[in-house]
Amino acid sequence: MKNRSEGKKRGRRRLLVGCGVICLLLGGAAGLKLRSDYKSAFAFLDRVESLVSPVVLDRNDHLLRAFLSKDEKWRLPVKVADIDPKYFDLLMAYEDRRFRQHNGVDMRAILRSTFQLVSNRRVVSGGSTLTMQVARLMSEEGTRSLSGKYHQILRALALESEFSKDEILTLYSMRAPFGGNLEGVRAASLVWFGKEPTRLTLAEAALLVAVPQSPAARRPDRFPENAKAARDRVLDRALQLGTLTEEAVLAAKRERLPKLWRKMPQLAAHRARQALVDQPDQVVHRLTLDRELQTALESLARQQAEKLDRKSSLAILVADHQKGEILAAVGSPNLHDRQRQGHVDMTQAVRSPGSTLKPYIYGVAFEERLAHPESLIVDKPVDFAGYRPTNFEQGFQGAVTVRQALQRSLNTPAVQLLQAVGPAHLLARLKRGGLKPALPGQGAVGLALGLGGVGVRLEDLVRLYAGLAQLGQPIDLSIYNDRNTAAAALPAKRPFLEEGAAWQVLDILSGSEQLHAAETNAIAYKTGTSYGYRDAWSIGVDGRYVVGVWVGRPDGSPVPGQTGAQTATPVLQAAFQLVSPESAPLPLKPDSVIDAVTSDLPMPLQFARTHSADATPETASNLEIVFPPNGATLELGGNQNEQPQNPIILKIEGGKRPFSLLADGRVIDSDQSRFSRQIRYQSSEVGVTSLAIIDSLGNTASVRISIQ
């Protein structure tokens, strides 16, 4: 009896001591002991932002790639709205039923747990609120001592005064431990379920509630029995409180546990890493990429790589040239493939472009009236001070049209036109279009420029072709979302090609063997193969998208037999099908474009002028139509929708005779002498008309008038 009495006394003393401790803690919390203690409670909050894993998101805020935090944890930023509400319902039912009511410290829970501790001599239930757990997780300090518990309460009160309830739930959701270096609901959902926590099953939500109570012992991949038992206890508690029905609980308990620790998403690995390098202090990086398209193209790259030798890699870049945004960037088939040097981003590597710059030689030649797509040019052996280019197949075709020369990618016609255009002049145009060339040797540029004698990046080529699709307007391709960082604008915004010349190039390239089915719109594309079979290229555009493909070995060693047409174009074709199964139509023909067969062209354009010596001082003369003036409205005595009664008398100054007259791009035969500086033109209809004059040297002048 005496022992029993002494036991009761000891129990009462423990209860009194326990209550005294609680009173001391609460008294200290109420008075905050000293003001400095309360201020120090906020110090740990400074670590929140610095310890979050950086993430890279696509244009729709979908996760592309996550990186370890500074303390080597998977701890992804997350918001309450990003997590299925079922998770929070179960969390509060199991951990803190009065979370929405208390101010960070639940007096009833603390008194209950203390009484149970004294009465049962063991912990029966905890007194910590979710806010107190957040304080412990954020401070990473123990709370077994009175001092530790005291500071935990201070921090909980500090949290409640600083943050809303949802913000505290957000902090818990980000810091809850799940074993190993895995923290937070979002990271756990990605690793265990392979998905974002936006939509969780009841069983998944219960598992995410259960594991943090003993993360090392409840990892489902290592201790499935422990994990299942803990998950089921969460479900039973919810059933007991009336949160769930018995039927729902039984169904959830039958659901299988995840068995694997999945890898974090690693899409657009190279560009995601570059985003971190560009802005190392930023947590969330938003790119213009599209995750669905990026996933599909990375899968395509892996499939196509299997057809190559083990040292060959490939790269794919897709952009919307209307918006100037990069939508997908595949730097290699597999980041971790050492044989293919997968860590090298081949969209940024400097390589020889092969023939992919040829279209711009022709574009400048068209603009400067050195040639027309239907002009004749002779494919023959040429010698420019010892430089003797040959065709890929070593033969020569003789007289061909310029259109045929570009579609067949003949080398000697391109070099002949480049010699007339001038390599330095072409290079200046390419730079204006966004190309950033790496020049060989001392930076001198020669005729080899047209056949790949310069270093370029895939992204630069894609930018250049994007500008071509926009009829010569320079396009600055951005990969950073506007909400993140705006891309720097190109220094020059002048067109790098006249729109008529750009359209003619597109028209020629769209006449090549088509990538899409016959019922779809045409795609304009160009292939390229660098010297020694080191690089294979294929670049294509439709009315909205531009796609570029590179294939080769990252170390620059040759791959015999590898060509752009045979190796890169099949990838381009498959990529376009993923980007847009039905291509958007290319731009309509501008009014300034001459539409004629070779024999109907003005004499200066029937044969391409391939020597700069052809130009005389008169090529710089100012050819001008002095009447009618540009933009004029002429009343020629016709009624609406009827033929005008009176002709137009064009008056010409400058230029070298004879002259050719074109109306809306069509050559007009005149019954007057073409050597006259006054040419009569009888319009067949009222409305807006474009009139142009070409002199014998290829100079042009045009006006746009309205006829009534």
Side-chain angles (χ1 to χ4, degrees):
M1 294 293 292
K2 184 178 180 180
N3 290 338
R4 181 179 297 179
S5 175
E6 289 178 355
K8 288 182 178 179
K9 289 180 181 179
R10 284 196 299 270
R12 283 194 294 269
R13 283 198 298 269
R14 288 172 180 165
L15 179 59
L16 290 173
V17 170
C19 291
V21 169
I22 297 302
C23 291
L24 175 63
L25 291 174
L26 295 179
L32 298 178
K33 190 184 176 187
L34 293 171
R35 189 169 182 82
S36 59
D37 280 358
Y38 186 65
K39 289 182 178 179
S40 68
F42 287 95
F44 76 101
L45 297 178
D46 296 335
R47 306 177 64 216
V48 175
E49 189 77 4
S50 65
L51 294 180
V52 175
S53 296
V55 294
V56 181
L57 309 179
D58 82 338
R59 63 193 303 108
N60 299 310
D61 284 348
H62 296 146
L63 183 64
L64 291 170
R65 188 178 182 184
F67 296 86
L68 289 170
S69 64
K70 292 180 180 179
D71 57 346
E72 300 295 312
K73 299 287 181 66
W74 291 114
R75 187 188 297 121
L76 279 59
V78 71
K79 298 177 182 178
V80 168
D82 299 330
I83 301 174
D84 194 308
K86 289 194 290 290
Y87 168 76
F88 294 109
D89 292 342
L90 292 175
L91 178 67
M92 285 183 278
Y94 193 73
E95 291 285 351
D96 192 350
R97 282 180 285 166
R98 285 180 289 277
F99 174 72
R100 295 289 180 183
Q101 286 76 49
H102 62 65
N103 66 343
V105 180
D106 189 344
M107 294 291 299
R108 292 167 58 183
I110 290 179
L111 289 172
R112 183 192 67 244
S113 63
T114 303
F115 180 79
Q116 291 172 339
L117 172 63
V118 172
S119 301
N120 297 278
R121 301 183 183 182
R122 63 183 179 86
V123 176
V124 175
S125 64
S128 293
T129 63
L130 282 172
T131 310
M132 292 171 67
Q133 292 184 49
V134 169
R136 175 176 56 82
L137 292 169
M138 298 302 298
S139 64
E140 298 182 352
E141 294 178 4
T143 58
R144 293 185 178 275
S145 66
L146 290 178
S147 174
K149 182 62 71 175
Y150 168 74
H151 285 97
Q152 184 185 26
I153 290 175
L154 283 181
R155 288 170 178 140
L157 293 172
L159 281 168
E160 290 279 350
S161 67
E162 183 75 7
F163 297 110
S164 69
K165 291 290 186 179
D166 278 355
E167 288 171 334
I168 292 171
L169 287 178
T170 297
L171 290 173
Y172 180 85
S173 301
M174 190 171 64
R175 293 303 303 265
F178 285 88
N181 65 343
L182 190 64
E183 287 190 5
V185 172
R186 187 181 182 190
S189 182
L190 288 166
V191 165
W192 299 128
F193 313 135
K195 65 180 183 181
E196 295 280 0
T198 310
R199 299 186 67 178
L200 299 170
T201 67
L202 197 57
E204 290 169 344
L207 182 65
L208 293 177
V209 170
V211 172
Q213 310 313 311
S214 183
R218 294 179 182 177
R219 279 182 51 171
D221 61 327
R222 293 183 177 178
F223 306 101
E225 293 182 359
N226 292 350
K228 185 179 187 307
R231 179 197 70 180
D232 292 351
R233 283 195 296 272
V234 172
L235 294 169
D236 289 337
R237 177 72 62 84
L239 175 62
Q240 185 181 28
L241 296 175
T243 305
L244 298 177
T245 65
E246 185 175 358
E247 183 180 2
V249 169
L250 290 175
K253 286 183 176 181
R254 288 194 294 268
E255 190 170 311
R256 293 182 178 180
L257 293 171
K259 297 181 179 180
L260 299 176
W261 178 298
R262 294 174 175 83
K263 292 182 178 180
M264 281 288 177
Q266 203 173 62
L267 293 167
H270 300 94
R271 293 308 178 96
R273 170 60 69 182
Q274 189 59 47
L276 240 64
V277 171
D278 291 343
Q279 293 182 318
D281 296 328
Q282 190 160 303
V283 174
V284 179
H285 302 261
R286 290 184 171 89
L287 305 184
T288 59
L289 304 182
D290 182 287
R291 185 178 68 175
E292 184 176 348
L293 179 60
Q294 181 74 30
T295 302
L297 290 176
E298 288 191 13
S299 177
L300 171 65
R302 288 191 294 271
Q303 294 170 10
Q304 294 293 329
E306 293 300 318
K307 302 176 183 179
L308 308 174
D309 70 83
R310 285 296 299 136
K311 292 185 178 181
S312 288
S313 184
L314 64 88
I316 307 170
L317 196 70
V318 178
D320 182 334
H321 59 72
Q322 292 183 357
K323 296 181 178 180
E325 296 175 345
I326 296 175
L327 301 180
V330 182
S332 68
N334 187 337
L335 180 70
H336 305 290
D337 191 330
R338 292 187 177 182
Q339 284 187 287
R340 300 186 195 277
Q341 298 185 37
H343 62 283
V344 179
D345 182 1
M346 296 308 299
T347 68
Q348 300 295 304
V350 176
R351 311 293 293 217
S352 166
S355 297
T356 57
L357 298 181
K358 279 181 184 174
Y360 302 93
I361 300 174
Y362 290 88
V364 177
F366 296 156
E367 180 178 328
E368 297 186 354
R369 304 300 187 266
L370 297 175
H372 179 276
E374 307 309 325
S375 300
L376 293 174
I377 191 168
V378 180
D379 178 30
K380 62 182 180 180
V382 291
D383 186 336
F384 295 100
Y387 178 58
R388 302 181 181 89
T390 60
N391 289 321
F392 186 77
E393 296 179 352
Q394 302 298 317
F396 298 96
Q397 304 297 312
V400 294
T401 65
V402 166
R403 179 183 300 274
Q404 292 169 334
L406 178 53
Q407 287 179 345
R408 298 177 188 177
S409 197
L410 300 177
N411 286 343
T412 63
V415 175
Q416 292 176 62
L417 280 175
L418 178 57
Q419 194 267 346
V421 167
H425 181 46
L426 175 64
L427 187 64
R429 293 295 193 96
L430 295 176
K431 288 181 178 179
R432 196 191 304 173
L435 197 72
K436 300 173 183 176
L439 299 174
Q442 300 300 315
V445 59
L447 294 176
L449 169 67
L451 304 184
V454 65
V456 304
R457 302 180 306 156
L458 176 59
E459 184 172 332
D460 288 343
L461 277 180
V462 168
R463 180 185 293 113
L464 197 62
Y465 275 79
L468 183 66
Q470 290 294 311
L471 297 183
Q473 292 294 327
I475 300 297
D476 188 19
L477 297 180
S478 171
I479 198 169
Y480 290 112
N481 193 296
D482 288 340
R483 290 175 294 171
N484 186 29
T485 301
L490 284 174
K493 286 298 182 183
R494 290 183 300 149
F496 65 96
L497 272 183
E498 180 188 81
E499 68 169 7
W503 183 88
Q504 287 174 315
V505 172
L506 286 174
D507 184 54
I508 293 173
L509 297 181
S510 66
S512 302
E513 182 179 353
Q514 276 305 295
L515 306 180
H516 277 188
E519 64 270 15
T520 63
N521 295 299
I523 291 174
Y525 72 101
K526 182 70 182 77
T527 63
T529 306
S530 67
Y531 178 77
Y533 300 97
R534 289 174 169 81
D535 306 278
W537 305 84
S538 194
I539 320 287
V541 299
D542 66 7
R544 181 173 180 182
Y545 301 106
V546 53
V547 180
V549 175
W550 170 89
V551 180
R553 290 180 177 175
D555 63 5
S557 58
V559 183
Q562 171 184 266
T563 67
Q566 296 177 354
T567 310
T569 296
V571 183
L572 182 73
Q573 179 178 9
F576 257 112
Q577 290 290 344
L578 293 172
V579 173
S580 177
E582 292 190 5
S583 59
L586 291 165
L588 297 175
K589 178 174 71 69
D591 293 338
S592 60
V593 173
I594 302 173
D595 189 9
V597 297
T598 305
S599 60
D600 289 338
L601 288 172
M603 282 299 297
L605 290 179
Q606 289 186 7
F607 287 88
R609 292 186 292 129
T610 57
H611 297 286
S612 56
D614 288 349
T616 69
E618 291 184 84
T619 58
S621 63
N622 295 321
L623 176 64
E624 181 181 5
I625 300 175
V626 295
F627 184 86
N630 189 45
T633 298
L634 303 181
E635 295 185 3
L636 301 180
N639 298 323
Q640 187 174 9
N641 298 326
E642 294 183 2
Q643 179 175 340
Q645 297 178 6
N646 302 317
I648 301 172
I649 306 298
L650 284 85
K651 296 181 180 180
I652 305 166
E653 287 187 359
K656 184 177 181 180
R657 292 172 286 192
F659 303 111
S660 298
L661 171 64
L662 292 87
D664 296 327
R666 294 174 292 104
V667 179
I668 303 298
D669 290 328
S670 175
D671 55 358
Q672 311 141 296
S673 170
R674 292 188 298 141
F675 288 86
S676 171
R677 292 189 177 274
Q678 294 190 12
I679 298 180
R680 181 188 302 251
Y681 168 61
Q682 179 67 57
S683 176
S684 61
E685 57 185 18
V686 297
V688 177
T689 300
S690 177
L691 299 176
I693 294 292
I694 302 179
D695 71 2
S696 63
L697 298 172
N699 298 307
T700 64
S702 63
V703 294
R704 192 173 180 82
I705 61 174
S706 178
I707 300 174
Q708 297 182 357

